[in-house]
Amino acid sequence: MSKYAGIVVNNESIQLDKIFTYRIPEALSHISNPGYRVKVPFGKGNKIIDGFILYVYDHIEDKSHIVKDIVKVYDKEELFTQSDIKLMEFMRENYLCTYLEAVKLFIPRGVIQGMKNKVIDTIYLSKELDGKYNKTPYIEIYNFIKENEGVFTKTQLAREKGFSISSINTLIKHGYIVKDKKVVDRYNDREYKNYERKLLNHEQKLVVDKVLNSSNKLFLLKGITGSGKTEVYMNIVQHMMDNNKSSIILVPEIALTPQMIERFKGRFGKDVAVFHSKLSQGERYDEWFRVKEGKVKLAIGARSAIFLPFKDLGLIVIDEEHETSYKSESDPKYNARDIAEYKSKLTGCKVIMGSATPNIESYYRTKINEIELLELNKRADGANLPFINTVDMREELKNNNRSIFSRELYEEIKNTLSKKEQIILFLNRRGFSTFVSCRKCGYVFKCDNCDISMTYHAHGNYLSCHYCGRKIRALSTCPKCKSNYVKYFGIGTEKVEIEIKKAFPSARVLRMDLDTTRKKDSYEIIYKEFKEGNADILIGTQMVAKGLDFPNVTLVGVLAADLSLNFPDYRSSERTFQLITQVAGRAGRGKKSGKVIVQTYMPESYSIIFAKNYDYEGFYKDEINIRKDMKYPPFSKILSINLSSKNENLLIKIIQNIGVILKNYLKNSDNIEILGPCPCIIGKIKEFYRWQIIIKGDIDTNLGKNIKDMVYHMTREVYNDIRVSIDINPSNLI
Ligand code: ADP
Ligand code: ZN
Ligand code: ZN
């Protein structure tokens, strides 16, 4: 009896996002599991296209129409497992993506494109030299190969080792040596210095014991900066290895990886797979197979490493779990934290989320006992946390200082340079900034409905709330203190670099931001330069706030805390608290003590005060109350519908129609609020106008799906002119 297969076809059209049934012919009867990539005839013309088997059925109920046969199976083995398929279904439901988008996360692109292992022809011995060939130069070649069998290709022997190509050819021709194929690893690895194992301190030991012995699976490790979280992870990874289990360590983006790779490879050797977005396609392909074939028991990587095909997963670590880079911004718009949790349900693996400044929602879940809380409250090397001082920039203005450096920061920079210690200057800027505030009294224009900063639109000279669409005319006098110092904010890292070079011409300066780290290794190069003391000052954005451990840094300056504080997002206080705490954690990590200076127009803001006092608990209590009052997550879900188009009129017409229909559809749902439609904060990107609708409240998967279907239905006829993006709990609303 033939079996049948439920197949997803490799075609991105949303209309084809379903399961198609095919017969598994006798010739392919070895296929009894899903996970294979196949070729099938499709549509009226029976065009042959690729597909993936997600289900295998023994029989089918509906025999009313003809079921076609699978024509070919590609690989010897399944590419994904039953539990991967469960995860794909979960993603399709929760992130409103298609089957195909989900499938593609589990397989490197190279596999789908038919990439092969990299194979080179290397030279081996075949028989002893004799007769007229038993003499120079043949003997030298022969002996060299004897020592280096399978290492060099013919060309390398000639070009790099200087042997005569015609002599090599002669030996091949007469069968003394042969060419043979060898698979090589494309990930070109270097040696790492041994990262010595440390004796765990009491706190660390307690945490490790709890993770290993608790019946819980999900843990939040709240450990202050420098408390030795990495050592804890490594200890548990070692325990997993001893028990033949694998581990995945997730780190935020590329930024953290050089230091983490250095540490993990320095501890566990070469058998650590590395997986992030800056690898070449070939490198990803090889690393993926190393995992699939069970050659490695540990992988370290960015978000997408969560999908690596480990068979016996024991541990997932999500380091710096509060980072937004764990949420994907393209379809499927998954959050690696949710995926890890779902994987734990499927496989029973442990998940540790680590941070000095946990995400508010994660911490809330420890309070309602969904996640077990573990804490590290001391720095591992006995150092103290640096002293944080805030500088009120309104006072600077009063004293006629209009530079971007306060007098205190200027003096401290001078001091630190003279002591030959290092400085990090941090600009917590997120690409652009358009909020409006008074430089004299610190007043910021906010929307009363939404409690977020209003955005300035130079074109039209008005302020608007990009959550609910409320608009007001821009004022040039401050409503609070009546001064004329109302200004829109904007300062970039480049400008800081110029100003620093003016003020301290002899200082050696490095800049780390998106512009200076576009190339594959540029982050690592800047990191090494600074670590080795080849620069005095590192200027940077969010990138420098993360996890870096530089013992000679004794001064950290936060240039404009208000940039993130007034970012139009309900999480701006949380982000500011996190950024200040994290960046402060870069100072005073060695024997010398550190100092942090935070410049702001709002020193009385709760996120700045709690950050200054290292009071996470206090911050959490205030913040969670605001979230509750305003019905923001974790007390609701947010669904954003984002439309973009080159045709502004059409875009506005369509999104307003969608708004009307949604309002009608949801008019009886008390717990749901619709905000907008209104333009996004970034109203236009590369000729595309952008508008959004935000839905806030009790949104379950069913409602999410209905809204998605509705929006796709309403944009079907303008499919070519309008791009649609739907996201649940987006990490940014810009
Ligand atoms: P975190 O990730 O929590 O900010 P790290 O893992 O970077 O902290 O550790 C901070 C420093 O303390 C590192 O230099 C690390 O080598 C050191 N360290 C960690 N654990 C110990 C220990 N048990 N004994 C001594 N030093 C330790
Ligand atoms: Zn004012
Ligand atoms: Zn509003």
Side-chain angles (χ1 to χ4, degrees), residues 447 449-450 465 467-470:
C447 172
N449 301 338
C450 310
C465 167
Y467 276 21
C468 71
R470 205 166 82 95

Side-chain angles (χ1 to χ4, degrees), residues 437-444 477-486:
S437 81
C438 169
R439 287 185 72 177
K440 184 138 183 252
C441 75
Y443 178 84
V444 174
T477 43
C478 170
K480 196 173 151 203
C481 76
K482 312 286 181 231
S483 80
N484 294 325
Y485 287 106
V486 173

Side-chain angles (χ1 to χ4, degrees), residues 366-644:
T366 66
K367 302 277 182 190
I368 56 173
N369 293 322
E370 288 183 6
I371 300 179
E372 183 172 341
L373 178 66
L374 308 168
E375 290 186 77
L376 293 173
N377 293 313
K378 289 200 273 299
R379 277 198 158 176
D381 50 9
N384 289 321
L385 285 169
F387 180 73
I388 302 179
N389 199 16
T390 50
V391 174
D392 187 341
M393 293 304 275
R394 293 171 300 195
E395 294 297 320
E396 296 299 308
L397 188 72
K398 268 190 207 152
N399 287 289
N400 268 325
N401 174 18
R402 278 157 209 263
S403 111
I404 58 174
F405 308 115
S406 59
R407 290 158 299 170
E408 183 178 347
L409 182 57
Y410 179 89
E411 286 304 319
E412 288 294 342
I413 294 175
K414 208 164 87 183
N415 250 331
T416 311
L417 288 174
S418 74
K419 284 190 286 182
K420 302 250 175 303
E421 293 167 2
Q422 287 174 301
I423 300 160
I424 293 179
L425 293 181
F426 172 64
L427 197 66
N428 38 343
R429 172 190 163 78
R430 313 187 42 182
F432 55 92
S433 52
T434 45
F435 72 96
V436 182
S437 81
C438 169
R439 287 185 72 177
K440 184 138 183 252
C441 75
Y443 178 84
V444 174
F445 292 80
K446 282 194 168 192
C447 172
D448 299 338
N449 301 338
C450 310
D451 193 40
I452 62 158
S453 308
M454 297 184 91
T455 306
Y456 177 65
H457 297 261
H459 178 78
N461 197 37
Y462 64 92
L463 303 179
S464 79
C465 167
H466 84 105
Y467 276 21
C468 71
R470 205 166 82 95
K471 272 189 199 173
I472 58 169
R473 216 158 47 81
L475 300 172
S476 55
T477 43
C478 170
K480 196 173 151 203
C481 76
K482 312 286 181 231
S483 80
N484 294 325
Y485 287 106
V486 173
K487 277 236 162 78
Y488 82 93
F489 240 84
I491 157 183
T493 39
E494 246 179 296
K495 163 106 166 128
V496 177
E497 188 179 8
I498 293 168
E499 294 295 315
I500 270 287
K501 283 182 171 158
K502 257 196 242 159
F504 304 99
S506 61
R508 297 163 305 163
V509 181
L510 285 172
R511 176 158 67 91
M512 185 187 279
D513 55 25
L514 272 183
D515 286 338
T516 62
T517 54
R518 277 188 215 288
K519 289 213 200 88
K520 187 173 176 178
D521 298 324
S522 46
Y523 178 90
E524 191 167 359
I525 292 166
I526 299 173
Y527 163 77
K528 269 184 78 180
E529 284 287 292
F530 195 62
K531 184 172 178 179
E532 285 164 9
N534 298 327
D536 308 303
I537 304 179
L538 176 64
I539 300 169
T541 52
Q542 267 67 340
M543 270 178 221
V544 302
K546 294 172 191 168
L548 300 175
D549 194 14
F550 300 120
N552 198 36
V553 172
T554 55
L555 176 65
V556 165
V558 178
L559 291 167
D562 310 76
L563 283 178
S564 61
L565 195 54
N566 292 317
F567 192 78
D569 191 309
Y570 71 90
R571 283 155 299 199
S572 59
S573 294
E574 177 181 5
R575 298 269 158 81
T576 305
F577 177 86
Q578 287 165 344
L579 282 168
I580 293 176
T581 313
Q582 294 286 346
V583 76
R586 303 312 119 218
R589 288 192 146 230
K591 304 242 159 10
K592 303 162 198 155
S593 63
K595 183 162 190 188
V596 181
I597 295 174
V598 178
Q599 301 189 156
T600 173
Y601 289 92
M602 315 169 87
E604 67 283 356
S605 139
Y606 69 103
S607 53
I608 291 181
I609 293 174
F610 285 123
K612 176 181 152 114
N613 296 330
Y614 292 103
D615 185 1
Y616 178 87
E617 197 66 38
F619 173 73
Y620 170 80
K621 281 193 185 124
D622 276 16
E623 181 67 17
I624 202 79
N625 283 331
I626 294 173
R627 298 282 178 95
K628 206 171 195 166
D629 285 350
M630 301 298 298
K631 291 207 181 61
Y632 283 125
F635 302 101
S636 69
K637 270 192 186 168
I638 285 186
L639 185 149
S640 75
I641 301 167
N642 190 310
L643 263 56
S644 59

Side-chain angles (χ1 to χ4, degrees), residues 195-196 198-201 204 223-233 259-260 263 319-320 356 376 379-381 547-549 585-586 589:
Y195 186 66
E196 249 172 70
K198 301 183 178 58
L199 207 60
L200 295 187
N201 62 34
Q204 286 172 317
I224 63 167
T225 56
S227 58
K229 294 186 283 295
T230 315
E231 199 62 37
V232 167
Y233 306 149
Q259 177 179 290
M260 279 303 236
R263 287 182 175 181
D319 191 35
E320 310 287 358
L376 293 173
R379 277 198 158 176
D381 50 9
L548 300 175
D549 194 14
R586 303 312 119 218
R589 288 192 146 230

